[in-house]
Amino acid sequence: VSMGSLLGATYRPAKIQCTIPYRKDAAEYEEHFAKLLLLQPEHVKFKLGKNLDLESKMIVRFRELAPSVGISVDANQAFATAESAQDFLAKVSSAGLCWAEQMLPREDVDAWKQLKKIASVPLMADESIHTAREARWYLENGLVDFINIKLAKAGGVLEARKIFSLAEEYRVPAMLGSM
């Protein structure tokens, strides 16, 4: 029995996604991009938060190199305010992001509400959701467009199943991630 079937998820073939971790400078990013593009990914996810100015420039650069590859960002709560998150999203708007993941601290309710009002891209919550109760809060308040459920942080299969059910109830796409 697969984990997906235990959670009641439907199987959809995975697209090839690659994560682009932090790099110290543009040359390291360019070197990583060259190797990555050989894999012909359909989607890439940039990790953010070490050097936002460099990261924004490299996201735009990657779009120049790969116009048909989907791009998302995972900020891991790197932004202190909704405005700073939106300022970053504006800098990379020419890259056409598919979504922005975990832009703000999970406990900053007001910032999440504000960002949802001004965000230029769909928002995703991921490891900030540990329980179905937390998922319900994000969903009831219309704060996210997607949820990435991390089994290790969501309390295991039973709690993840509850979160999937809530996401279905609110018609918010959810996916299963791992740690």
Side-chain angles (χ1 to χ4, degrees), residues 5-173:
S5 65
L6 285 173
L7 293 170
T10 55
Y11 173 76
R12 291 190 194 110
K15 294 182 178 180
I16 298 172
Q17 177 178 300
C18 297
T19 298
I20 299 175
Y22 313 113
R23 297 292 181 210
K24 71 177 182 179
D25 57 32
E28 273 196 16
Y29 273 103
E30 292 283 352
E31 184 180 321
H32 188 73
F33 293 167
K35 293 175 186 173
L36 187 79
L37 290 170
L38 294 174
L39 301 173
Q40 299 180 319
E42 293 182 30
H43 190 94
V44 297
K45 176 168 69 171
F46 278 81
K47 292 291 191 172
L48 303 179
K50 297 286 185 185
N51 182 339
L52 293 168
D53 186 52
L54 174 63
E55 292 157 2
S56 66
K57 290 174 183 166
M58 298 318 300
I59 290 167
V60 172
R61 172 67 178 139
F62 187 83
R63 171 54 68 223
E64 294 168 358
L65 295 171
S68 63
V69 175
I71 301 174
S72 63
V73 295
D74 185 352
N76 292 314
Q77 307 179 61
F79 297 92
T81 67
E83 293 81 8
S84 63
Q86 180 52 32
D87 287 347
F88 179 86
L89 294 173
K91 285 182 184 178
V92 299
S93 63
S94 65
L97 297 182
C98 298
W99 68 80
E101 194 171 331
Q102 209 55 51
M103 299 296 281
L104 299 163
R106 66 188 292 265
E107 65 280 347
D108 194 341
V109 175
D110 293 331
W112 271 96
K113 288 180 178 179
Q114 180 64 22
L115 182 59
K116 184 59 180 156
K117 289 178 188 173
I118 63 173
S120 57
V121 300
L123 300 177
M124 177 185 282
D126 59 5
E127 57 265 0
S128 65
I129 294 178
H130 298 156
T131 66
R133 181 175 176 223
E134 290 171 348
R136 181 178 295 283
W137 180 84
Y138 278 88
L139 295 165
E140 282 178 347
N141 286 285
L143 301 180
V144 293
D145 301 289
F146 306 103
I147 293 178
N148 183 3
I149 301 166
K150 305 287 178 107
L151 275 179
K153 298 219 175 173
V157 174
L158 296 178
E159 197 67 16
R161 181 64 233 146
K162 292 175 190 174
I163 297 169
F164 268 113
S165 294
L166 282 169
E168 287 174 0
E169 179 183 330
Y170 284 88
R171 293 183 168 84
V172 170

